[in-house]
Amino acid sequence: MMKMDKKMLSGFMASLCLALGLGLSPFSYAEETPTSTPSVSIETHSFVASDAKENKASTEGKVNLNTATVDELMGLKGIGKAKAQAIIDYREQLGRFTSIDELEKVFGIGMKLVEQNRDFIVIN
Protein backbone atom coordinates (compact mmCIF):
# COMPACT_ATOMS: atom_id res chain seq x y z
CA MET A 1 0.00 0.00 0.00
CA MET A 2 1.24 3.47 -0.91
CA LYS A 3 1.67 5.99 1.89
CA MET A 4 0.66 9.58 1.06
CA ASP A 5 2.30 12.56 2.68
CA LYS A 6 0.54 15.91 3.18
CA LYS A 7 1.96 17.44 -0.01
CA MET A 8 0.85 14.50 -2.14
CA LEU A 9 -2.61 14.46 -0.53
CA SER A 10 -3.16 18.20 -1.04
CA GLY A 11 -2.13 17.89 -4.71
CA PHE A 12 -4.55 15.02 -5.18
CA MET A 13 -7.38 16.96 -3.51
CA ALA A 14 -6.66 20.06 -5.63
CA SER A 15 -6.76 17.96 -8.83
CA LEU A 16 -10.01 16.34 -7.75
CA CYS A 17 -11.66 19.69 -6.95
CA LEU A 18 -10.49 21.15 -10.27
CA ALA A 19 -11.85 18.18 -12.22
CA LEU A 20 -15.20 18.36 -10.47
CA GLY A 21 -15.47 22.12 -10.87
CA LEU A 22 -14.68 22.12 -14.59
CA GLY A 23 -16.69 19.22 -15.94
CA LEU A 24 -19.56 18.21 -13.76
CA SER A 25 -21.98 21.11 -13.57
CA PRO A 26 -25.66 20.08 -13.20
CA PHE A 27 -26.49 21.79 -16.50
CA SER A 28 -24.02 19.73 -18.52
CA TYR A 29 -26.15 16.60 -18.05
CA ALA A 30 -29.55 18.25 -18.45
CA GLU A 31 -28.89 19.63 -21.92
CA GLU A 32 -29.60 18.01 -25.22
CA THR A 33 -27.15 18.45 -28.06
CA PRO A 34 -28.84 20.07 -31.04
CA THR A 35 -28.96 17.79 -34.06
CA SER A 36 -28.70 20.59 -36.58
CA THR A 37 -27.50 24.15 -36.74
CA PRO A 38 -29.61 27.00 -38.06
CA SER A 39 -28.96 27.96 -41.64
CA VAL A 40 -29.23 31.33 -43.29
CA SER A 41 -30.95 31.69 -46.64
CA ILE A 42 -30.43 34.86 -48.64
CA GLU A 43 -32.22 35.80 -51.84
CA THR A 44 -29.70 36.16 -54.65
CA HIS A 45 -31.93 36.45 -57.73
CA SER A 46 -33.11 39.99 -57.01
CA PHE A 47 -31.08 42.87 -58.47
CA VAL A 48 -33.06 45.72 -56.86
CA ALA A 49 -33.77 45.37 -53.16
CA SER A 50 -35.40 47.81 -50.79
CA ASP A 51 -33.99 48.42 -47.29
CA ALA A 52 -36.73 46.29 -45.74
CA LYS A 53 -35.98 43.37 -48.05
CA GLU A 54 -32.24 43.59 -47.30
CA ASN A 55 -32.93 43.65 -43.56
CA LYS A 56 -35.21 40.62 -43.84
CA ALA A 57 -32.59 38.68 -45.81
CA SER A 58 -29.88 39.46 -43.29
CA THR A 59 -31.98 38.27 -40.31
CA GLU A 60 -33.76 35.34 -41.98
CA GLY A 61 -32.91 32.02 -40.34
CA LYS A 62 -31.46 33.67 -37.24
CA VAL A 63 -32.76 33.41 -33.67
CA ASN A 64 -34.06 36.66 -32.17
CA LEU A 65 -33.07 36.71 -28.48
CA ASN A 66 -35.98 39.01 -27.64
CA THR A 67 -38.76 36.86 -29.12
CA ALA A 68 -37.40 33.28 -29.35
CA THR A 69 -39.14 30.35 -27.70
CA VAL A 70 -37.37 27.61 -25.74
CA ASP A 71 -37.43 25.36 -28.81
CA GLU A 72 -35.97 28.07 -31.07
CA LEU A 73 -33.19 28.81 -28.58
CA MET A 74 -32.40 25.09 -28.31
CA GLY A 75 -31.53 25.19 -32.02
CA LEU A 76 -28.38 27.14 -31.15
CA LYS A 77 -25.05 25.38 -30.52
CA GLY A 78 -24.63 24.26 -26.91
CA ILE A 79 -28.03 25.54 -25.76
CA GLY A 80 -30.19 22.90 -24.15
CA LYS A 81 -33.52 23.23 -22.39
CA ALA A 82 -32.05 24.60 -19.12
CA LYS A 83 -29.99 27.34 -20.80
CA ALA A 84 -32.84 28.23 -23.16
CA GLN A 85 -35.14 28.69 -20.17
CA ALA A 86 -32.44 30.75 -18.39
CA ILE A 87 -32.30 33.09 -21.41
CA ILE A 88 -36.09 33.54 -21.34
CA ASP A 89 -36.09 34.07 -17.55
CA TYR A 90 -33.34 36.70 -17.90
CA ARG A 91 -35.32 38.46 -20.65
CA GLU A 92 -38.53 38.43 -18.58
CA GLN A 93 -36.83 39.74 -15.43
CA LEU A 94 -34.50 42.36 -16.91
CA GLY A 95 -36.14 43.30 -20.20
CA ARG A 96 -35.12 43.03 -23.83
CA PHE A 97 -31.56 42.26 -24.85
CA THR A 98 -29.80 45.31 -26.26
CA SER A 99 -26.71 43.49 -27.59
CA ILE A 100 -25.61 39.95 -28.32
CA ASP A 101 -22.77 40.36 -25.79
CA GLU A 102 -25.39 40.83 -23.05
CA LEU A 103 -26.16 37.12 -23.44
CA GLU A 104 -22.98 36.42 -21.40
CA LYS A 105 -24.79 37.78 -18.33
CA VAL A 106 -27.22 34.83 -18.40
CA PHE A 107 -26.33 32.14 -15.84
CA GLY A 108 -24.49 29.25 -17.49
CA ILE A 109 -23.59 31.09 -20.71
CA GLY A 110 -20.05 32.27 -21.28
CA MET A 111 -18.10 34.15 -23.90
CA LYS A 112 -17.19 30.97 -25.81
CA LEU A 113 -20.85 29.97 -26.23
CA VAL A 114 -21.78 33.49 -27.36
CA GLU A 115 -18.99 33.49 -29.96
CA GLN A 116 -20.04 30.04 -31.30
CA ASN A 117 -23.57 31.37 -31.91
CA ARG A 118 -22.92 35.02 -32.84
CA ASP A 119 -23.65 34.44 -36.55
CA PHE A 120 -26.98 32.75 -35.74
CA ILE A 121 -28.35 35.37 -33.31
CA VAL A 122 -30.10 38.68 -33.95
CA ILE A 123 -31.45 41.38 -31.61
CA ASN A 124 -34.67 43.10 -32.76
Side-chain angles (χ1 to χ4, degrees):
M1 184 168 177
M2 186 175 141
K3 189 173 182 180
M4 297 180 82
D5 62 6
K6 283 185 178 182
K7 193 173 192 179
M8 203 171 177
L9 181 61
S10 73
F12 172 75
M13 292 302 289
S15 298
L16 183 62
C17 289
L18 182 62
L20 289 173
L22 290 178
L24 301 177
S25 74
F27 292 112
S28 64
Y29 295 104
E31 295 177 13
E32 298 174 16
T33 305
T35 54
S36 66
T37 56
S39 62
V40 179
S41 61
I42 299 175
E43 293 180 24
T44 56
H45 63 279
S46 174
F47 292 105
V48 179
S50 67
D51 289 340
K53 198 172 200 178
E54 286 176 10
N55 187 34
K56 182 179 178 187
S58 67
T59 61
E60 203 172 297
K62 294 187 179 187
V63 176
N64 184 343
L65 287 180
N66 289 318
T67 60
T69 64
V70 169
D71 290 335
E72 290 170 331
L73 290 167
M74 287 174 58
L76 296 170
K77 295 176 187 174
I79 305 289
K81 193 169 190 171
K83 287 183 183 173
Q85 188 59 54
I87 292 169
I88 291 174
D89 292 344
Y90 180 92
R91 180 175 74 203
E92 289 174 353
Q93 292 169 3
L94 300 172
R96 298 175 63 83
F97 286 90
T98 57
S99 75
I100 293 174
D101 293 326
E102 189 179 349
L103 186 58
E104 287 181 45
K105 295 179 181 178
V106 176
F107 178 77
I109 297 180
M111 180 180 63
K112 184 177 178 182
L113 198 56
V114 173
E115 289 306 318
Q116 286 177 338
N117 289 295
R118 187 172 296 278
D119 294 338
F120 307 111
I121 298 173
V122 67
I123 306 287
N124 284 346

PDB file of all heavy atoms in Angstrom, residues 31-68:
ATOM      1  N   GLU A  31     -28.729  19.079 -20.582  1.00  0.00           N
ATOM      2  CA  GLU A  31     -28.888  19.627 -21.916  1.00  0.00           C
ATOM      3  C   GLU A  31     -28.934  18.549 -22.983  1.00  0.00           C
ATOM      4  O   GLU A  31     -28.363  17.493 -22.839  1.00  0.00           O
ATOM      5  CB  GLU A  31     -27.709  20.539 -22.243  1.00  0.00           C
ATOM      6  CG  GLU A  31     -27.655  21.748 -21.364  1.00  0.00           C
ATOM      7  CD  GLU A  31     -26.440  22.586 -21.682  1.00  0.00           C
ATOM      8  OE1 GLU A  31     -25.793  22.366 -22.711  1.00  0.00           O
ATOM      9  OE2 GLU A  31     -26.147  23.461 -20.875  1.00  0.00           O
ATOM     10  N   GLU A  32     -29.604  18.876 -24.052  1.00  0.00           N
ATOM     11  CA  GLU A  32     -29.600  18.013 -25.218  1.00  0.00           C
ATOM     12  C   GLU A  32     -28.741  18.678 -26.278  1.00  0.00           C
ATOM     13  O   GLU A  32     -28.773  19.887 -26.440  1.00  0.00           O
ATOM     14  CB  GLU A  32     -31.022  17.838 -25.756  1.00  0.00           C
ATOM     15  CG  GLU A  32     -31.951  17.177 -24.779  1.00  0.00           C
ATOM     16  CD  GLU A  32     -33.386  17.158 -25.300  1.00  0.00           C
ATOM     17  OE1 GLU A  32     -33.592  17.382 -26.502  1.00  0.00           O
ATOM     18  OE2 GLU A  32     -34.277  16.940 -24.491  1.00  0.00           O
ATOM     19  N   THR A  33     -27.975  17.902 -26.999  1.00  0.00           N
ATOM     20  CA  THR A  33     -27.147  18.453 -28.061  1.00  0.00           C
ATOM     21  C   THR A  33     -28.012  18.645 -29.297  1.00  0.00           C
ATOM     22  O   THR A  33     -28.695  17.723 -29.720  1.00  0.00           O
ATOM     23  CB  THR A  33     -25.989  17.489 -28.388  1.00  0.00           C
ATOM     24  OG1 THR A  33     -25.273  17.230 -27.188  1.00  0.00           O
ATOM     25  CG2 THR A  33     -25.071  18.088 -29.422  1.00  0.00           C
ATOM     26  N   PRO A  34     -28.017  19.853 -29.847  1.00  0.00           N
ATOM     27  CA  PRO A  34     -28.839  20.072 -31.038  1.00  0.00           C
ATOM     28  C   PRO A  34     -28.357  19.193 -32.194  1.00  0.00           C
ATOM     29  O   PRO A  34     -27.164  18.981 -32.356  1.00  0.00           O
ATOM     30  CB  PRO A  34     -28.652  21.547 -31.360  1.00  0.00           C
ATOM     31  CG  PRO A  34     -27.513  22.015 -30.543  1.00  0.00           C
ATOM     32  CD  PRO A  34     -27.295  21.034 -29.436  1.00  0.00           C
ATOM     33  N   THR A  35     -29.320  18.679 -32.960  1.00  0.00           N
ATOM     34  CA  THR A  35     -28.965  17.793 -34.058  1.00  0.00           C
ATOM     35  C   THR A  35     -28.624  18.554 -35.325  1.00  0.00           C
ATOM     36  O   THR A  35     -28.009  18.017 -36.217  1.00  0.00           O
ATOM     37  CB  THR A  35     -30.121  16.820 -34.363  1.00  0.00           C
ATOM     38  OG1 THR A  35     -31.297  17.574 -34.593  1.00  0.00           O
ATOM     39  CG2 THR A  35     -30.333  15.870 -33.202  1.00  0.00           C
ATOM     40  N   SER A  36     -29.037  19.802 -35.411  1.00  0.00           N
ATOM     41  CA  SER A  36     -28.697  20.592 -36.585  1.00  0.00           C
ATOM     42  C   SER A  36     -28.452  22.029 -36.178  1.00  0.00           C
ATOM     43  O   SER A  36     -28.887  22.470 -35.131  1.00  0.00           O
ATOM     44  CB  SER A  36     -29.833  20.530 -37.609  1.00  0.00           C
ATOM     45  OG  SER A  36     -30.972  21.160 -37.090  1.00  0.00           O
ATOM     46  N   THR A  37     -27.754  22.739 -37.004  1.00  0.00           N
ATOM     47  CA  THR A  37     -27.501  24.150 -36.744  1.00  0.00           C
ATOM     48  C   THR A  37     -28.366  24.978 -37.674  1.00  0.00           C
ATOM     49  O   THR A  37     -28.679  24.549 -38.784  1.00  0.00           O
ATOM     50  CB  THR A  37     -26.014  24.507 -36.980  1.00  0.00           C
ATOM     51  OG1 THR A  37     -25.671  24.146 -38.303  1.00  0.00           O
ATOM     52  CG2 THR A  37     -25.124  23.794 -35.996  1.00  0.00           C
ATOM     53  N   PRO A  38     -28.776  26.156 -37.199  1.00  0.00           N
ATOM     54  CA  PRO A  38     -29.609  27.002 -38.056  1.00  0.00           C
ATOM     55  C   PRO A  38     -28.856  27.385 -39.330  1.00  0.00           C
ATOM     56  O   PRO A  38     -27.646  27.521 -39.327  1.00  0.00           O
ATOM     57  CB  PRO A  38     -29.848  28.248 -37.200  1.00  0.00           C
ATOM     58  CG  PRO A  38     -29.466  27.881 -35.819  1.00  0.00           C
ATOM     59  CD  PRO A  38     -28.505  26.739 -35.908  1.00  0.00           C
ATOM     60  N   SER A  39     -29.587  27.532 -40.397  1.00  0.00           N
ATOM     61  CA  SER A  39     -28.957  27.961 -41.641  1.00  0.00           C
ATOM     62  C   SER A  39     -29.556  29.290 -42.075  1.00  0.00           C
ATOM     63  O   SER A  39     -30.666  29.620 -41.718  1.00  0.00           O
ATOM     64  CB  SER A  39     -29.152  26.908 -42.731  1.00  0.00           C
ATOM     65  OG  SER A  39     -30.522  26.737 -42.988  1.00  0.00           O
ATOM     66  N   VAL A  40     -28.795  30.028 -42.820  1.00  0.00           N
ATOM     67  CA  VAL A  40     -29.227  31.333 -43.290  1.00  0.00           C
ATOM     68  C   VAL A  40     -29.480  31.240 -44.786  1.00  0.00           C
ATOM     69  O   VAL A  40     -28.632  30.784 -45.542  1.00  0.00           O
ATOM     70  CB  VAL A  40     -28.145  32.403 -43.011  1.00  0.00           C
ATOM     71  CG1 VAL A  40     -28.584  33.746 -43.533  1.00  0.00           C
ATOM     72  CG2 VAL A  40     -27.836  32.479 -41.530  1.00  0.00           C
ATOM     73  N   SER A  41     -30.672  31.665 -45.207  1.00  0.00           N
ATOM     74  CA  SER A  41     -30.948  31.687 -46.636  1.00  0.00           C
ATOM     75  C   SER A  41     -31.092  33.133 -47.081  1.00  0.00           C
ATOM     76  O   SER A  41     -31.782  33.916 -46.452  1.00  0.00           O
ATOM     77  CB  SER A  41     -32.221  30.896 -46.951  1.00  0.00           C
ATOM     78  OG  SER A  41     -33.315  31.470 -46.304  1.00  0.00           O
ATOM     79  N   ILE A  42     -30.414  33.482 -48.132  1.00  0.00           N
ATOM     80  CA  ILE A  42     -30.427  34.859 -48.638  1.00  0.00           C
ATOM     81  C   ILE A  42     -30.849  34.830 -50.099  1.00  0.00           C
ATOM     82  O   ILE A  42     -30.358  34.023 -50.883  1.00  0.00           O
ATOM     83  CB  ILE A  42     -29.029  35.498 -48.503  1.00  0.00           C
ATOM     84  CG1 ILE A  42     -28.624  35.535 -47.033  1.00  0.00           C
ATOM     85  CG2 ILE A  42     -29.006  36.888 -49.118  1.00  0.00           C
ATOM     86  CD1 ILE A  42     -27.222  36.026 -46.803  1.00  0.00           C
ATOM     87  N   GLU A  43     -31.775  35.720 -50.450  1.00  0.00           N
ATOM     88  CA  GLU A  43     -32.222  35.803 -51.839  1.00  0.00           C
ATOM     89  C   GLU A  43     -31.099  36.377 -52.697  1.00  0.00           C
ATOM     90  O   GLU A  43     -30.546  37.411 -52.380  1.00  0.00           O
ATOM     91  CB  GLU A  43     -33.448  36.712 -51.940  1.00  0.00           C
ATOM     92  CG  GLU A  43     -34.669  36.138 -51.250  1.00  0.00           C
ATOM     93  CD  GLU A  43     -35.860  37.071 -51.368  1.00  0.00           C
ATOM     94  OE1 GLU A  43     -35.907  37.885 -52.307  1.00  0.00           O
ATOM     95  OE2 GLU A  43     -36.734  36.966 -50.515  1.00  0.00           O
ATOM     96  N   THR A  44     -30.773  35.683 -53.788  1.00  0.00           N
ATOM     97  CA  THR A  44     -29.699  36.158 -54.652  1.00  0.00           C
ATOM     98  C   THR A  44     -30.181  36.522 -56.048  1.00  0.00           C
ATOM     99  O   THR A  44     -29.433  37.080 -56.828  1.00  0.00           O
ATOM    100  CB  THR A  44     -28.596  35.092 -54.778  1.00  0.00           C
ATOM    101  OG1 THR A  44     -29.189  33.897 -55.259  1.00  0.00           O
ATOM    102  CG2 THR A  44     -27.910  34.853 -53.449  1.00  0.00           C
ATOM    103  N   HIS A  45     -31.448  36.203 -56.372  1.00  0.00           N
ATOM    104  CA  HIS A  45     -31.934  36.451 -57.726  1.00  0.00           C
ATOM    105  C   HIS A  45     -32.440  37.868 -57.937  1.00  0.00           C
ATOM    106  O   HIS A  45     -32.685  38.262 -59.059  1.00  0.00           O
ATOM    107  CB  HIS A  45     -33.043  35.452 -58.079  1.00  0.00           C
ATOM    108  CG  HIS A  45     -34.247  35.588 -57.204  1.00  0.00           C
ATOM    109  ND1 HIS A  45     -34.299  35.023 -55.951  1.00  0.00           N
ATOM    110  CD2 HIS A  45     -35.416  36.236 -57.386  1.00  0.00           C
ATOM    111  CE1 HIS A  45     -35.470  35.321 -55.399  1.00  0.00           C
ATOM    112  NE2 HIS A  45     -36.162  36.043 -56.241  1.00  0.00           N
ATOM    113  N   SER A  46     -32.572  38.652 -56.893  1.00  0.00           N
ATOM    114  CA  SER A  46     -33.110  39.993 -57.012  1.00  0.00           C
ATOM    115  C   SER A  46     -31.981  41.012 -57.184  1.00  0.00           C
ATOM    116  O   SER A  46     -31.035  41.040 -56.423  1.00  0.00           O
ATOM    117  CB  SER A  46     -33.912  40.326 -55.750  1.00  0.00           C
ATOM    118  OG  SER A  46     -34.319  41.658 -55.786  1.00  0.00           O
ATOM    119  N   PHE A  47     -32.093  41.866 -58.224  1.00  0.00           N
ATOM    120  CA  PHE A  47     -31.084  42.871 -58.468  1.00  0.00           C
ATOM    121  C   PHE A  47     -31.385  44.165 -57.724  1.00  0.00           C
ATOM    122  O   PHE A  47     -30.493  44.864 -57.306  1.00  0.00           O
ATOM    123  CB  PHE A  47     -30.959  43.170 -59.969  1.00  0.00           C
ATOM    124  CG  PHE A  47     -30.394  42.011 -60.726  1.00  0.00           C
ATOM    125  CD1 PHE A  47     -31.210  41.221 -61.512  1.00  0.00           C
ATOM    126  CD2 PHE A  47     -29.050  41.713 -60.638  1.00  0.00           C
ATOM    127  CE1 PHE A  47     -30.687  40.153 -62.207  1.00  0.00           C
ATOM    128  CE2 PHE A  47     -28.521  40.646 -61.331  1.00  0.00           C
ATOM    129  CZ  PHE A  47     -29.343  39.855 -62.115  1.00  0.00           C
ATOM    130  N   VAL A  48     -32.661  44.506 -57.558  1.00  0.00           N
ATOM    131  CA  VAL A  48     -33.065  45.717 -56.863  1.00  0.00           C
ATOM    132  C   VAL A  48     -33.753  45.310 -55.576  1.00  0.00           C
ATOM    133  O   VAL A  48     -34.738  44.590 -55.600  1.00  0.00           O
ATOM    134  CB  VAL A  48     -34.036  46.573 -57.729  1.00  0.00           C
ATOM    135  CG1 VAL A  48     -34.464  47.805 -56.972  1.00  0.00           C
ATOM    136  CG2 VAL A  48     -33.381  46.920 -59.049  1.00  0.00           C
ATOM    137  N   ALA A  49     -33.190  45.745 -54.456  1.00  0.00           N
ATOM    138  CA  ALA A  49     -33.767  45.373 -53.162  1.00  0.00           C
ATOM    139  C   ALA A  49     -33.984  46.626 -52.331  1.00  0.00           C
ATOM    140  O   ALA A  49     -33.137  47.500 -52.262  1.00  0.00           O
ATOM    141  CB  ALA A  49     -32.834  44.414 -52.430  1.00  0.00           C
ATOM    142  N   SER A  50     -35.126  46.682 -51.672  1.00  0.00           N
ATOM    143  CA  SER A  50     -35.402  47.809 -50.785  1.00  0.00           C
ATOM    144  C   SER A  50     -34.699  47.553 -49.453  1.00  0.00           C
ATOM    145  O   SER A  50     -34.237  46.458 -49.179  1.00  0.00           O
ATOM    146  CB  SER A  50     -36.908  47.956 -50.564  1.00  0.00           C
ATOM    147  OG  SER A  50     -37.387  46.846 -49.824  1.00  0.00           O
ATOM    148  N   ASP A  51     -34.629  48.576 -48.599  1.00  0.00           N
ATOM    149  CA  ASP A  51     -33.993  48.421 -47.290  1.00  0.00           C
ATOM    150  C   ASP A  51     -34.674  47.340 -46.464  1.00  0.00           C
ATOM    151  O   ASP A  51     -34.024  46.562 -45.787  1.00  0.00           O
ATOM    152  CB  ASP A  51     -34.027  49.745 -46.520  1.00  0.00           C
ATOM    153  CG  ASP A  51     -33.078  50.774 -47.121  1.00  0.00           C
ATOM    154  OD1 ASP A  51     -32.156  50.365 -47.863  1.00  0.00           O
ATOM    155  OD2 ASP A  51     -33.257  51.968 -46.847  1.00  0.00           O
ATOM    156  N   ALA A  52     -35.987  47.285 -46.513  1.00  0.00           N
ATOM    157  CA  ALA A  52     -36.727  46.288 -45.743  1.00  0.00           C
ATOM    158  C   ALA A  52     -36.392  44.880 -46.208  1.00  0.00           C
ATOM    159  O   ALA A  52     -36.230  43.969 -45.407  1.00  0.00           O
ATOM    160  CB  ALA A  52     -38.227  46.541 -45.858  1.00  0.00           C
ATOM    161  N   LYS A  53     -36.285  44.700 -47.511  1.00  0.00           N
ATOM    162  CA  LYS A  53     -35.975  43.375 -48.051  1.00  0.00           C
ATOM    163  C   LYS A  53     -34.552  42.962 -47.668  1.00  0.00           C
ATOM    164  O   LYS A  53     -34.305  41.816 -47.318  1.00  0.00           O
ATOM    165  CB  LYS A  53     -36.133  43.386 -49.571  1.00  0.00           C
ATOM    166  CG  LYS A  53     -36.251  42.020 -50.175  1.00  0.00           C
ATOM    167  CD  LYS A  53     -36.608  42.120 -51.640  1.00  0.00           C
ATOM    168  CE  LYS A  53     -37.194  40.837 -52.139  1.00  0.00           C
ATOM    169  NZ  LYS A  53     -37.588  40.929 -53.526  1.00  0.00           N
ATOM    170  N   GLU A  54     -33.617  43.893 -47.699  1.00  0.00           N
ATOM    171  CA  GLU A  54     -32.244  43.590 -47.303  1.00  0.00           C
ATOM    172  C   GLU A  54     -32.187  43.220 -45.832  1.00  0.00           C
ATOM    173  O   GLU A  54     -31.498  42.288 -45.445  1.00  0.00           O
ATOM    174  CB  GLU A  54     -31.333  44.782 -47.570  1.00  0.00           C
ATOM    175  CG  GLU A  54     -31.024  44.982 -49.037  1.00  0.00           C
ATOM    176  CD  GLU A  54     -30.188  46.226 -49.277  1.00  0.00           C
ATOM    177  OE1 GLU A  54     -29.699  46.826 -48.292  1.00  0.00           O
ATOM    178  OE2 GLU A  54     -30.024  46.605 -50.438  1.00  0.00           O
ATOM    179  N   ASN A  55     -32.910  43.933 -44.989  1.00  0.00           N
ATOM    180  CA  ASN A  55     -32.932  43.653 -43.562  1.00  0.00           C
ATOM    181  C   ASN A  55     -33.518  42.271 -43.299  1.00  0.00           C
ATOM    182  O   ASN A  55     -33.001  41.511 -42.501  1.00  0.00           O
ATOM    183  CB  ASN A  55     -33.728  44.736 -42.815  1.00  0.00           C
ATOM    184  CG  ASN A  55     -33.617  44.564 -41.314  1.00  0.00           C
ATOM    185  OD1 ASN A  55     -32.583  44.137 -40.814  1.00  0.00           O
ATOM    186  ND2 ASN A  55     -34.682  44.880 -40.609  1.00  0.00           N
ATOM    187  N   LYS A  56     -34.589  41.920 -44.008  1.00  0.00           N
ATOM    188  CA  LYS A  56     -35.211  40.618 -43.839  1.00  0.00           C
ATOM    189  C   LYS A  56     -34.255  39.508 -44.249  1.00  0.00           C
ATOM    190  O   LYS A  56     -34.123  38.500 -43.564  1.00  0.00           O
ATOM    191  CB  LYS A  56     -36.500  40.521 -44.657  1.00  0.00           C
ATOM    192  CG  LYS A  56     -37.218  39.202 -44.474  1.00  0.00           C
ATOM    193  CD  LYS A  56     -38.482  39.143 -45.276  1.00  0.00           C
ATOM    194  CE  LYS A  56     -39.134  37.781 -45.095  1.00  0.00           C
ATOM    195  NZ  LYS A  56     -40.254  37.590 -45.963  1.00  0.00           N
ATOM    196  N   ALA A  57     -33.532  39.694 -45.334  1.00  0.00           N
ATOM    197  CA  ALA A  57     -32.593  38.685 -45.813  1.00  0.00           C
ATOM    198  C   ALA A  57     -31.439  38.500 -44.834  1.00  0.00           C
ATOM    199  O   ALA A  57     -30.959  37.401 -44.643  1.00  0.00           O
ATOM    200  CB  ALA A  57     -32.068  39.062 -47.189  1.00  0.00           C
ATOM    201  N   SER A  58     -31.012  39.576 -44.201  1.00  0.00           N
ATOM    202  CA  SER A  58     -29.878  39.464 -43.287  1.00  0.00           C
ATOM    203  C   SER A  58     -30.270  38.841 -41.949  1.00  0.00           C
ATOM    204  O   SER A  58     -29.419  38.354 -41.235  1.00  0.00           O
ATOM    205  CB  SER A  58     -29.225  40.827 -43.065  1.00  0.00           C
ATOM    206  OG  SER A  58     -30.106  41.671 -42.358  1.00  0.00           O
ATOM    207  N   THR A  59     -31.554  38.853 -41.584  1.00  0.00           N
ATOM    208  CA  THR A  59     -31.981  38.274 -40.314  1.00  0.00           C
ATOM    209  C   THR A  59     -32.713  36.949 -40.490  1.00  0.00           C
ATOM    210  O   THR A  59     -32.982  36.263 -39.522  1.00  0.00           O
ATOM    211  CB  THR A  59     -32.908  39.249 -39.548  1.00  0.00           C
ATOM    212  OG1 THR A  59     -34.067  39.496 -40.334  1.00  0.00           O
ATOM    213  CG2 THR A  59     -32.201  40.541 -39.211  1.00  0.00           C
ATOM    214  N   GLU A  60     -33.024  36.577 -41.713  1.00  0.00           N
ATOM    215  CA  GLU A  60     -33.757  35.345 -41.980  1.00  0.00           C
ATOM    216  C   GLU A  60     -32.946  34.136 -41.534  1.00  0.00           C
ATOM    217  O   GLU A  60     -31.759  34.035 -41.804  1.00  0.00           O
ATOM    218  CB  GLU A  60     -34.036  35.256 -43.483  1.00  0.00           C
ATOM    219  CG  GLU A  60     -35.217  34.380 -43.824  1.00  0.00           C
ATOM    220  CD  GLU A  60     -35.565  34.501 -45.299  1.00  0.00           C
ATOM    221  OE1 GLU A  60     -35.927  35.613 -45.726  1.00  0.00           O
ATOM    222  OE2 GLU A  60     -35.453  33.485 -45.990  1.00  0.00           O
ATOM    223  N   GLY A  61     -33.572  33.224 -40.804  1.00  0.00           N
ATOM    224  CA  GLY A  61     -32.908  32.018 -40.342  1.00  0.00           C
ATOM    225  C   GLY A  61     -32.142  32.202 -39.045  1.00  0.00           C
ATOM    226  O   GLY A  61     -31.542  31.277 -38.547  1.00  0.00           O
ATOM    227  N   LYS A  62     -32.164  33.399 -38.491  1.00  0.00           N
ATOM    228  CA  LYS A  62     -31.460  33.667 -37.238  1.00  0.00           C
ATOM    229  C   LYS A  62     -32.455  33.658 -36.074  1.00  0.00           C
ATOM    230  O   LYS A  62     -33.648  33.843 -36.252  1.00  0.00           O
ATOM    231  CB  LYS A  62     -30.743  35.010 -37.296  1.00  0.00           C
ATOM    232  CG  LYS A  62     -29.612  35.014 -38.309  1.00  0.00           C
ATOM    233  CD  LYS A  62     -28.806  36.275 -38.228  1.00  0.00           C
ATOM    234  CE  LYS A  62     -27.658  36.235 -39.234  1.00  0.00           C
ATOM    235  NZ  LYS A  62     -26.756  37.371 -39.054  1.00  0.00           N
ATOM    236  N   VAL A  63     -31.936  33.445 -34.878  1.00  0.00           N
ATOM    237  CA  VAL A  63     -32.759  33.410 -33.667  1.00  0.00           C
ATOM    238  C   VAL A  63     -32.741  34.794 -33.028  1.00  0.00           C
ATOM    239  O   VAL A  63     -31.686  35.333 -32.722  1.00  0.00           O
ATOM    240  CB  VAL A  63     -32.217  32.350 -32.678  1.00  0.00           C
ATOM    241  CG1 VAL A  63     -32.997  32.376 -31.378  1.00  0.00           C
ATOM    242  CG2 VAL A  63     -32.271  30.972 -33.312  1.00  0.00           C
ATOM    243  N   ASN A  64     -33.930  35.360 -32.816  1.00  0.00           N
ATOM    244  CA  ASN A  64     -34.057  36.665 -32.168  1.00  0.00           C
ATOM    245  C   ASN A  64     -34.123  36.441 -30.660  1.00  0.00           C
ATOM    246  O   ASN A  64     -35.066  35.842 -30.162  1.00  0.00           O
ATOM    247  CB  ASN A  64     -35.321  37.374 -32.665  1.00  0.00           C
ATOM    248  CG  ASN A  64     -35.461  38.765 -32.094  1.00  0.00           C
ATOM    249  OD1 ASN A  64     -34.824  39.124 -31.095  1.00  0.00           O
ATOM    250  ND2 ASN A  64     -36.303  39.556 -32.713  1.00  0.00           N
ATOM    251  N   LEU A  65     -33.125  36.920 -29.934  1.00  0.00           N
ATOM    252  CA  LEU A  65     -33.073  36.707 -28.484  1.00  0.00           C
ATOM    253  C   LEU A  65     -34.264  37.318 -27.747  1.00  0.00           C
ATOM    254  O   LEU A  65     -34.614  36.860 -26.673  1.00  0.00           O
ATOM    255  CB  LEU A  65     -31.777  37.303 -27.910  1.00  0.00           C
ATOM    256  CG  LEU A  65     -30.496  36.557 -28.211  1.00  0.00           C
ATOM    257  CD1 LEU A  65     -29.304  37.260 -27.568  1.00  0.00           C
ATOM    258  CD2 LEU A  65     -30.571  35.119 -27.756  1.00  0.00           C
ATOM    259  N   ASN A  66     -34.892  38.333 -28.328  1.00  0.00           N
ATOM    260  CA  ASN A  66     -35.983  39.009 -27.638  1.00  0.00           C
ATOM    261  C   ASN A  66     -37.357  38.386 -27.882  1.00  0.00           C
ATOM    262  O   ASN A  66     -38.318  38.754 -27.219  1.00  0.00           O
ATOM    263  CB  ASN A  66     -36.003  40.492 -28.012  1.00  0.00           C
ATOM    264  CG  ASN A  66     -34.833  41.220 -27.397  1.00  0.00           C
ATOM    265  OD1 ASN A  66     -34.493  40.999 -26.246  1.00  0.00           O
ATOM    266  ND2 ASN A  66     -34.196  42.077 -28.169  1.00  0.00           N
ATOM    267  N   THR A  67     -37.454  37.460 -28.832  1.00  0.00           N
ATOM    268  CA  THR A  67     -38.759  36.855 -29.124  1.00  0.00           C
ATOM    269  C   THR A  67     -38.717  35.334 -29.194  1.00  0.00           C
ATOM    270  O   THR A  67     -39.768  34.699 -29.291  1.00  0.00           O
ATOM    271  CB  THR A  67     -39.319  37.383 -30.460  1.00  0.00           C
ATOM    272  OG1 THR A  67     -38.401  37.038 -31.511  1.00  0.00           O
ATOM    273  CG2 THR A  67     -39.536  38.888 -30.422  1.00  0.00           C
ATOM    274  N   ALA A  68     -37.546  34.729 -29.139  1.00  0.00           N
ATOM    275  CA  ALA A  68     -37.400  33.284 -29.354  1.00  0.00           C
ATOM    276  C   ALA A  68     -38.046  32.458 -28.242  1.00  0.00           C
ATOM    277  O   ALA A  68     -38.036  32.843 -27.074  1.00  0.00           O
ATOM    278  CB  ALA A  68     -35.920  32.924 -29.465  1.00  0.00           C
TER     279      ALA A  68
END
